Amino acid sequence: MINIPFSPPYIDEAVINEVTDSLRSGWITTGPKVNALEQEIQKLVNAQKVLCVNSWTTGAIMMLRWLGVKPGDEVIIPAYTYCATALAVLWAGAKPVMVDVNDDFNISIDAIREAITYRTKAIIPVDIAGWPCDYSAIMSLVSEPEIKKMFEPTSPIMEKIGRVMVISDSAHSLGAHYHGNCSGTDTDITIFSLHAVKNITTAEGGAICLNLPVPFDNSVVYKELRLMSLNCQTKDAFTKSKAGGWQYDIVGLGMKANMPDVNAAIGLAQIRQYDKMLAERRRVFNTYNEMFSQFDWAILPPYLQDGCESSCHVYALRIKDISEEQRNAIIDFASKKQVALNVHFTPLPMFTYFKDLGYDMSSYPQAFANYVHEISLPCYPQLDDNKVRFVVNVIRDAYQQVVGR
């Protein structure tokens, strides 16, 4: 029987050789390979500067701390996202304000507008499954005179930017395009995830893309953040390891957020062949689209429209007119056929922790509707067309058995 895991990492000889090179170099923590990966991501997305860190979550916490959020400050996020979006806000000391989403899974602009108050210091839109949010509308919104007039800065950085900051949660969307441009430059800050299941992985990791407006100097901010990511220690370990280089100072309240070279090596080998890897993801995505389009019960995920293109990170299929129990039964059926499926995502207010904080799922009807009908299918370069067809046939059979139509 065919066994199809949900999202195995792409490991070929180039990856193995790059990691082996790091191991043989005698240097495995932050050093030249991290720097090289930052340069590759910067070149790919055309960002001003890129800083690699040890996770998306740490990167988001660090950026919110750099912004200067304090207790009482609010950050608007979608209710339909992974928990890290909200947890980063909480760990930085602010309050997540959850809003509903659109039918395309991404945050509702109207809901953002209704949620903005004088306490709002940042917005974190999320590119679900690799489909870009409407960033032109979001950036226009935070720049409207009435919205800017409402803004009350609580830190020097906030005073300098003069409006609500936008930090894109692009954990899924490295390689996506928004209005013809590669994802990573549409907001003040973009943070990619390089976790094990992502399109490009460093096992664990994240990449912060800096595109702050004037009067910020993104090169200067990069140096500040690099220092902050290393406990505000004035010499990194690579420099300290040189003869006579042992002395250093601690100049602020930093974090341990750096990415090691041995991790960066995996992503470095992958990103150098990302054109090929992304083409294979598109092949899988398009094959799904062609096959599912014959079923009137299938709602295809957004892929290519209005100058935007998905990174094809997740194939977020939705099935019309089913209950949560039926959706779960379809997933169980597929698992017995050795096809691993997933759900992206369980809305945050459904989790005990967020319920206990007072969030109520009834306030987010579209997020709940998306969740009930969504099943994430395997989508990665190693899936050949036969395996894709097998997945589709399993979903078809599961639907017929569970729904009976």
Side-chain angles (χ1 to χ4, degrees):
M1 181 180 288
I2 297 176
N3 180 26
I4 301 180
F6 183 70
S7 187
Y10 184 86
I11 305 296
D12 64 356
E13 286 302 312
V15 172
I16 293 168
N17 291 339
E18 196 71 42
V19 173
T20 302
D21 181 69
S22 182
L23 294 172
R24 286 177 173 158
S25 74
W27 190 260
I28 59 173
T29 190
T30 308
K33 290 197 186 295
V34 171
N35 182 259
L37 180 59
E38 291 174 347
Q39 295 300 315
E40 290 286 351
I41 295 173
Q42 183 175 335
K43 182 171 64 175
L44 175 68
V45 307
N46 200 31
Q48 293 295 309
K49 292 294 289 185
V50 174
L51 176 72
C52 285
V53 289
N54 58 20
S55 72
W56 181 95
T57 308
T58 304
I61 295 169
M62 190 166 74
M63 291 314 307
L64 290 167
R65 283 189 54 199
W66 174 82
L67 178 61
V69 297
K70 297 175 175 63
D73 290 343
E74 296 178 348
V75 178
I76 296 173
I77 67 169
Y80 195 87
T81 182
Y82 182 59
C83 64
T85 314
L87 295 179
V89 176
L90 290 165
W91 277 113
K95 176 186 177 182
V97 174
M98 298 182 193
V99 301
D100 209 356
V101 296
N102 298 319
D103 181 67
D104 70 352
F105 298 102
N106 288 345
I107 196 166
S108 163
I109 309 303
D110 290 340
I112 293 175
R113 182 183 293 277
E114 290 178 9
I116 291 178
T117 71
Y118 72 95
R119 294 181 182 273
T120 306
K121 310 308 176 192
I123 301 167
I124 306 182
V126 182
D127 299 336
I128 301 294
W131 178 246
C133 294
D134 189 352
Y135 288 115
S136 293
I138 293 170
M139 296 308 293
S140 294
L141 175 60
V142 298
S143 299
E144 288 179 11
E146 289 304 311
I147 299 296
K148 290 182 72 172
K149 189 183 299 182
M150 199 187 306
F151 180 66
E152 292 188 7
T154 54
S155 76
I157 297 293
M158 293 180 198
E159 289 177 3
K160 194 171 181 179
I161 197 168
R163 57 164 171 77
V164 174
M165 179 174 279
V166 182
I167 302 173
S168 170
D169 179 345
S170 295
H172 291 181
S173 55
L174 183 60
H177 286 79
Y178 179 75
H179 291 175
N181 296 318
C182 198
S183 176
T185 60
D186 301 303
T187 60
D188 303 310
I189 305 292
T190 296
I191 310 178
F192 296 117
S193 172
L194 303 173
H195 176 261
V197 301
K198 298 304 189 291
N199 289 22
I200 297 291
T201 181
T202 55
E204 296 284 354
I208 303 169
C209 299
L210 303 175
N211 294 284
L212 292 157
V214 174
F216 291 95
D217 183 328
N218 287 284
S219 295
V220 171
V221 174
Y222 169 84
K223 291 176 182 176
E224 292 174 7
L225 293 171
R226 186 168 178 80
L227 184 69
M228 188 177 181
S229 74
L230 290 161
N231 290 320
C232 284
Q233 180 178 289
T234 54
K235 287 183 182 178
D236 62 26
F238 191 71
T239 306
K240 280 170 58 189
S241 70
K242 306 293 184 181
W246 64 272
Q247 284 188 309
Y248 61 89
D249 194 9
I250 301 296
V251 294
L253 179 60
M255 301 169 60
K256 193 68 170 70
N258 58 304
M259 175 187 287
D261 262 22
V262 71
N263 292 72
I266 303 170
L268 191 56
Q270 289 186 349
I271 202 166
R272 287 171 176 164
Q273 53 183 326
Y274 193 32
D275 285 349
K276 178 185 76 174
M277 293 169 62
L278 200 52
E280 290 299 293
R281 284 182 172 273
R282 292 184 184 123
R283 171 187 57 78
V284 173
F285 207 97
N286 283 322
T287 304
Y288 279 141
N289 275 348
E290 290 168 10
M291 296 193 70
F292 280 115
S293 64
Q294 65 184 302
F295 304 123
D296 60 6
W297 45 261
I299 304 172
L300 309 188
Y303 166 57
L304 184 62
Q305 59 194 51
D306 301 327
C308 298
E309 183 175 9
S310 173
S311 69
C312 301
H313 174 58
V314 166
Y315 192 88
L317 177 70
R318 276 175 294 168
I319 298 177
K320 293 179 184 176
D321 302 326
I322 60 170
S323 66
E324 185 178 354
E325 291 74 21
Q326 288 173 317
R327 189 273 314 276
N328 294 346
I330 290 172
I331 294 173
D332 290 342
F333 180 99
S335 70
K336 292 172 184 173
K337 301 293 184 181
Q338 301 301 307
V339 175
L341 305 177
N342 210 320
V343 174
H344 287 78
F345 288 102
T346 301
L348 299 183
M350 295 181 69
F351 291 115
T352 299
Y353 179 72
F354 296 107
K355 284 182 189 175
D356 290 348
L357 289 177
Y359 298 97
D360 185 347
M361 193 63 239
S362 65
S363 300
Y364 315 99
Q366 187 62 56
F368 185 72
N370 289 350
Y371 158 74
V372 166
H373 299 113
E374 198 271 344
I375 299 176
S376 302
L377 309 187
C379 187
Y380 45 87
Q382 304 94 304
L383 278 179
D384 61 32
D385 288 346
N386 286 333
K387 289 180 179 177
V388 174
R389 282 191 287 270
F390 181 77
V391 172
V392 175
N393 290 337
V394 166
I395 299 298
R396 177 203 62 199
D397 294 347
Y399 177 85
Q400 290 172 348
Q401 176 166 310
V402 171
V403 182
R405 293 202 298 269

